[in-house]
Amino acid sequence: NTLNAISTLVLQKDTKSANTMLTKLSQFLRYSLDNDPLDQVSLQFELNSVRLYLDIEKVRFEERLRIEIDVADDALQAMVPSMLLQPLIENSIKHAVARSEDGGLIAIRAKVNGDKLVIIVEDDGPGITDGSTLVAADSSSGGVGLKNIQNRLKEIYSDAHSLAFSSGSPQGCIVTVVIPYE
């Protein structure tokens, strides 16, 4: 999708936007290739990579993609698995933003709650009926992101984590990740 968007910008002779998008794509790909999926990075570092991804998506969706980020200061230094947030955000873009003529909102929130880090990715799309169905649908459509997150969280934290999917009110999907605060 990103390469198609860049191609369109080149055909439209919008070389400045195409170059900006290529640079961000390059930085994002470098981040994803340089970090082992089982490595941990600070949440601040993870958010920086997510911003690169979101900047790329903003070129595609323009004002249709709205983002809110609300992360408590003490959560920024928490250690999280690298590439934890991007698949969750990609899922929201695919199922909420891209399917709506008006686009949608994706909110990323994080806070420390005792000895736990709580991360929430929420969208205002149509929502879900069952979180396990969402993971199964992701896998059956060729997607591996949600199952990959489940497997990595299990590998890193054993049973000391949770990954929950729920519907928002009145609509939307809420993904809540709870991991030890390190």
Side-chain angles (χ1 to χ4, degrees), residues 103-145:
L105 171 71
I106 299 173
I108 304 164
R109 295 188 295 280
K111 65 180 180 178
V112 177
N113 187 3
D115 63 348
K116 301 289 183 190
L117 175 66
V118 179
I119 302 171
I120 297 170
V121 176
E122 181 175 2
D123 65 55
D124 62 356
I128 59 170
T129 55
D130 176 16
S132 60
T133 303
L134 180 65
V135 175
D138 181 56
S139 296
S140 68
S141 68
V144 296

Side-chain angles (χ1 to χ4, degrees), residues 15-182:
T15 55
K16 183 176 180 183
S17 295
N19 187 51
T20 298
M21 199 168 177
L22 277 171
T23 300
K24 290 186 185 290
L25 176 61
S26 172
Q27 291 170 334
F28 178 74
L29 290 174
R30 186 172 300 115
Y31 170 78
S32 63
L33 293 173
D34 285 348
N35 290 287
D36 184 297
L38 297 177
D39 282 350
Q40 292 182 299
V41 297
S42 71
L43 182 57
Q44 176 71 59
F45 191 79
E46 179 72 1
L47 286 169
N48 289 340
S49 77
V50 163
R51 284 185 181 98
L52 288 171
Y53 176 73
L54 288 169
D55 286 348
I56 292 167
E57 294 297 339
K58 283 287 250 183
V59 174
R60 287 180 57 211
F61 293 102
E62 298 173 338
E63 70 279 348
R64 291 180 52 224
L65 174 58
R66 298 177 309 282
I67 304 296
E68 289 180 3
I69 299 176
D70 181 18
V71 177
D73 288 341
D74 57 348
L76 289 172
Q77 299 312 311
M79 300 304 287
V80 300
S82 68
M83 297 297 289
L84 173 69
L85 296 176
Q86 188 274 335
L88 300 175
I89 294 166
E90 182 178 8
N91 199 58
S92 288
I93 289 172
K94 178 180 177 182
H95 296 287
V97 178
R99 291 186 178 184
S100 170
E101 189 174 306
D102 296 329
L105 171 71
I106 299 173
I108 304 164
R109 295 188 295 280
K111 65 180 180 178
V112 177
N113 187 3
D115 63 348
K116 301 289 183 190
L117 175 66
V118 179
I119 302 171
I120 297 170
V121 176
E122 181 175 2
D123 65 55
D124 62 356
I128 59 170
T129 55
D130 176 16
S132 60
T133 303
L134 180 65
V135 175
D138 181 56
S139 296
S140 68
S141 68
V144 296
L146 300 179
K147 188 68 175 165
N148 185 312
I149 290 172
Q150 284 182 326
N151 292 339
R152 289 190 302 134
L153 290 172
K154 180 79 171 161
E155 177 75 22
I156 295 169
Y157 302 109
S158 188
D159 292 329
H161 77 280
S162 67
L163 174 64
F165 301 87
S166 58
S167 285
S169 178
Q171 65 186 41
C173 179
I174 302 169
V175 181
T176 305
V177 179
V178 180
I179 58 176
Y181 176 63
E182 300 174 345

